[in-house]
Amino acid sequence: MLKVESPSKLVMPDFAGNGLFDSVGNFLDNPNIGMIFIDFEQAIRLRVNGEVNILKPSAEYLGIWPEAKRIIEITTQRCFFNCNKRIKQSV
C-alpha cells in the first residue's frame, strides 16, 4: 500500500503489529530509506532512495487507511533501475 503524492513524495501507512518490534522507530535514528519495487510481469526492478518523515494520520489518509497508526512520508532523493537478472527465476 503506497500512494504517490507527487514525483518526489510517496506516503504509506504504518499499522500496529505484534508489539514485539516497531521498525518505524528506526527512522528516528536514521531517516534514510531504500525501497525496491518489482514488476514481475515485465521483469523490471526499481530502486527508490529517500528520507522519511513520520506523521500523524490526517482525515484524508484515515479515509484511505482507517487503521493507520502513523503515516510514513518519503521524500525521494534518487530513483534508478536495479539489476533484473534474477527476477524471472522468482516467478
Side-chain angles (χ1 to χ4, degrees), residues 12-16 56-57 61-62 65-71:
M12 62 185 189
D14 175 43
F15 297 110
K56 291 182 181 179
Y61 294 130
L62 287 173
W65 304 299
E67 296 184 26
K69 301 298 179 198
R70 290 169 289 274
I71 297 297

Side-chain angles (χ1 to χ4, degrees), residues 21-79:
F21 186 74
D22 187 3
S23 60
V24 173
N26 292 331
F27 293 129
L28 298 175
D29 290 331
N30 182 353
N32 297 307
I33 188 170
M35 300 180 295
I36 294 179
F37 298 92
I38 301 174
D39 179 339
F40 288 100
E41 291 181 11
Q42 297 185 39
I44 296 171
R45 188 160 49 188
L46 178 70
R47 171 80 184 225
V48 176
N49 292 342
E51 189 170 308
V52 168
N53 188 21
I54 301 169
L55 308 172
K56 291 182 181 179
S58 66
E60 173 192 359
Y61 294 130
L62 287 173
I64 302 169
W65 304 299
E67 296 184 26
K69 301 298 179 198
R70 290 169 289 274
I71 297 297
I72 301 168
E73 179 185 69
I74 301 142
T75 302
T76 58
Q77 296 170 328
R78 186 171 177 216
C79 299

